[in-house]
Amino acid sequence: MTGYFSNLGGHPGQDMLHTGRAVFTDAYAVIPRGVMRDIVTSNLPHWTGTRAWIIARPLTGFAETFAQYVMEVGPGGGSDRPEPDPGAEGVIFVADGALDLRLDGLPHLMTAGGYAYLPPGADWTVLNPGESPARFHWVRKRYAAVEGIDTPEAFFVNEADIAPVAMAGTEGRWATTRFVDPTDLRHDMHVNIVSFEPGGLIPFEETHVMEHGLYVLEGKAVYKLNRDWVEVEAGDFMWLRAFCPQACYAGGPGRFRYLLYKDVNRHPALTLGAL
């Protein structure tokens, strides 16, 4: 069974040194797990027994397309009005515990590794039916509709049921678990899982139009972000604006894996601030 990091929260003692790896630049941000403490959580309207670490939101002049949350729902907690924006689509990825996610009243029990895509306007609710907290990632984006292309339908799947696709020439050292067919133009965002075996690497500086959110699920690595090499580990989050150069070297001893958001399959807006 894959272990997904989910142990956030707590508060450091007064005897701790003020030393961390958090950084925010005009090209990227790193939010390490050590700063995702109780004091920075948010309470959300129409959610009960829940707290959220909001680790990305649209910012003019930075990454503009998405919001990303780490959610912790206590036993019996949840929401019957989870999504406030009828134009927003969402992805849910469960890291720990169980969720009863109901779509149009039909139940879907999601456990660790469970993935749901929820199109704009979806009628869904969520409840933690267990006796321990449920922790999951929630990515939200305003859907960019295109005339003549249908809106994608909702679906539920578990990572364990999808075979990773190895990058060409890597002998499986670098692979991607794809939850959506990249050629399906109905989708304007992908949320995938990228995996590196120890010593695996991105051997060039990717520089592209897609914005990224990268939440490290497992392991550690050294990541090249713009001009800087940054050490990251399970529980850290990286936030990259468009065209930020990026590369990676997985340092081991185990696999390095992260949940990756990117915007895809649409023309760039020609008006600043428009999605």
Side-chain angles (χ1 to χ4, degrees), residues 31 40-42 44 52-57 67-70:
I31 305 177
V40 298
T41 58
S42 296
L44 299 175
W53 287 267
I54 301 177
I55 52 178
R57 52 156 289 183
Q68 187 160 340
Y69 305 37
V70 182

Side-chain angles (χ1 to χ4, degrees), residues 153-259:
E153 67 274 0
F155 67 86
F156 296 81
V157 71
N158 193 288
E159 184 205 355
D161 299 323
I162 299 177
V165 177
M167 294 292 288
T170 67
E171 299 177 337
R173 296 185 183 94
W174 173 13
T176 302
T177 302
R178 301 186 188 279
F179 297 95
V180 170
D181 181 350
T183 65
D184 186 346
L185 294 181
R186 297 176 303 165
H187 287 275
D188 67 347
M189 73 169 178
H190 291 163
V191 179
N192 300 324
I193 294 176
V194 180
S195 303
F196 293 89
E197 297 301 319
L201 71 156
I202 299 175
F204 67 103
E205 294 179 332
E206 295 187 34
T207 307
H208 52 61
V209 70
M210 287 85 78
E211 298 177 350
H212 277 337
L214 295 85
Y215 186 93
V216 182
L217 297 170
E218 181 182 351
K220 63 186 179 74
V222 182
Y223 228 93
K224 180 71 177 291
L225 299 170
N226 201 15
R227 300 178 178 179
D228 307 317
W229 284 100
V230 179
E231 287 188 296
V232 293
E233 63 178 345
D236 292 351
F237 179 70
M238 292 169 278
W239 190 12
L240 283 61
R241 69 180 300 177
F243 302 109
C244 175
Q246 60 199 267
C248 169
Y249 181 85
R255 292 187 303 173
F256 174 62
R257 310 180 76 232
Y258 54 80
L259 190 70

Side-chain angles (χ1 to χ4, degrees), residues 125-167:
T125 64
V126 65
L127 174 74
N128 175 3
E131 298 181 354
S132 59
R135 300 180 178 94
F136 62 94
H137 300 269
W138 184 14
V139 178
R140 302 173 60 229
K141 180 183 181 298
R142 182 71 63 83
Y143 183 67
V146 176
E147 183 180 0
I149 296 179
D150 292 337
T151 302
E153 67 274 0
F155 67 86
F156 296 81
V157 71
N158 193 288
E159 184 205 355
D161 299 323
I162 299 177
V165 177
M167 294 292 288

Side-chain angles (χ1 to χ4, degrees), residues 64-129:
E64 298 186 348
T65 62
F66 74 109
Q68 187 160 340
Y69 305 37
V70 182
M71 303 286 288
E72 183 181 86
V73 181
S79 177
D80 59 3
R81 298 170 61 185
E83 175 53 70
D85 187 341
E89 59 187 331
V91 163
I92 302 289
F93 180 79
V94 179
D96 190 27
L99 289 178
D100 177 6
L101 196 157
R102 301 199 171 212
L103 180 67
D104 297 326
L106 298 177
H108 300 270
L109 182 64
M110 301 179 65
T111 56
Y115 182 108
Y117 171 76
L118 301 164
D123 180 10
W124 62 284
T125 64
V126 65
L127 174 74
N128 175 3

